[in-house]
């Protein structure tokens, strides 16, 4: 799918490919720098995101903003989106068929942004993009390179809010992302 941002946003707005769109307030396509070098992919919108139509604006999003700032990145420099663009009821994990229905939109976003580095926030994003074999506790912090694009799975910021002991590893991962962006500049 090679589309423009406008037509992609129109398609997402009109999408009824799965049942998730039935109970939402807003679609949440994602936002940020349309030419970002770093793209971050989460699972799906939560309650705050659903109300505002923006990705990662709730508690997990605020932590994400702080972690980005710690490696000298602003939200305006990166592109942030989710595997599914509609909030799953009660924040449940998207079903495989819901993720599959939404995946063409993620692919289109990838083709438009053309990032060099992709940070996969949590198991749903890591599995949707790299495959079902990914285990976040085992695979986080390791790079996967495909056609010159560097992918890294890491913990979802909501997991860090639930379990502070994961923050040390996540901090390590964000520093690795900062180093990779620097390395790719050269
Ligand atoms: N969690 C996600 O995975 N995405 C958001 O946009 C917010 C919370």
């Amino acid at each position: 799918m090679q589309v423009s941002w406008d037509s992609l946003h129109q398609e997402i707005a009109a999408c009824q490919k799965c049942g998730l769109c039935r109970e939402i307030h807003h679609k949440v396509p994602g936002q940020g720098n349309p030419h970002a070098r770093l793209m971050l992919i989460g699972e799906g919108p939560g309650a705050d995101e659903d109300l505002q139509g923006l990705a990662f604006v709730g508690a997990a999003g605020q932590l994400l903003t702080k972690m980005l700032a710690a490696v000298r990145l602003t939200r305006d420099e990166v592109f942030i989106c989710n595997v599914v663009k509609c909030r799953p009821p009660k924040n449940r994990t998207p079903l495989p068929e819901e993720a599959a229905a939404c995946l063409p939109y993620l692919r289109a976003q990838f083709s438009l942004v053309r990032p060099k580095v992709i940070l996969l926030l949590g198991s749903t994003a890591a599995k949707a993009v790299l495959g079902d074999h990914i285990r976040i506790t085992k695979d986080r912090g390791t790079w996967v390179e495909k056609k010159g694009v560097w992918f890294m799975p890491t913990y979802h910021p909501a997991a860090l809010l639930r379990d502070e002991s994961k923050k040390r590893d996540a901090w390590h991962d964000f520093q690795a992302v900062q180093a990779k962006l620097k390395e790719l500049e050269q």
Side-chain angles (χ1 to χ4, degrees), residues 3-186:
V3 292
S4 67
W5 283 109
D6 275 356
S7 62
L8 176 61
H9 285 154
Q10 279 167 24
E11 265 197 61
I12 293 173
C15 180
Q16 299 189 357
K17 286 200 284 179
C18 76
L20 289 181
C21 58
R22 284 195 213 112
E23 291 172 51
I24 59 165
H25 293 94
H26 291 105
K27 303 273 172 96
V28 181
Q31 76 274 357
N33 184 334
H35 305 294
R37 298 171 67 235
L38 173 63
M39 183 164 171
L40 297 98
I41 305 175
E43 175 173 304
D48 295 303
E49 290 77 19
D50 176 55
L51 285 176
Q52 295 187 42
L54 293 168
F56 279 100
V57 288
Q62 284 161 27
L63 175 58
L64 184 60
T65 304
K66 283 191 200 155
M67 296 179 77
L68 287 169
V71 291
R72 303 187 187 288
L73 287 166
T74 65
R75 296 270 305 231
D76 293 343
E77 281 173 274
V78 303
F79 189 84
I80 305 187
C81 61
N82 285 298
V83 172
V84 293
K85 315 305 188 201
C86 293
R87 182 193 182 197
K90 298 187 183 136
N91 296 345
R92 67 162 170 73
T93 304
L95 301 172
E97 57 268 32
E98 293 162 346
C102 224
L103 215 51
Y105 302 132
L106 188 61
R107 288 212 182 92
Q109 289 174 317
F110 170 75
S111 316
L112 287 164
V113 177
R114 301 216 139 277
K116 295 274 176 262
V117 177
I118 300 190
L119 191 57
L120 301 161
L121 303 169
S123 174
T124 301
K127 287 180 185 211
V129 173
L130 294 178
D132 232 14
H133 63 283
I134 297 288
R135 295 289 168 270
I136 205 78
T137 41
K138 181 168 73 67
D139 296 317
R140 62 136 281 279
T142 57
W143 288 111
V144 176
E145 188 261 349
K146 289 186 184 196
K147 297 185 187 167
V149 181
W150 293 83
F151 298 80
M152 181 192 277
T154 190
Y155 291 124
H156 192 288
L160 307 179
L161 292 172
R162 286 192 298 268
D163 178 0
E164 292 244 327
S165 71
K166 292 191 163 86
K167 279 191 177 171
R168 193 190 161 100
D169 283 341
W171 169 233
H172 185 269
D173 298 347
F174 273 67
Q175 285 180 307
V177 166
Q178 183 185 34
K180 180 63 77 183
L181 286 169
K182 196 158 184 204
E183 175 192 319
L184 294 174
E185 246 172 39
Q186 278 138 29

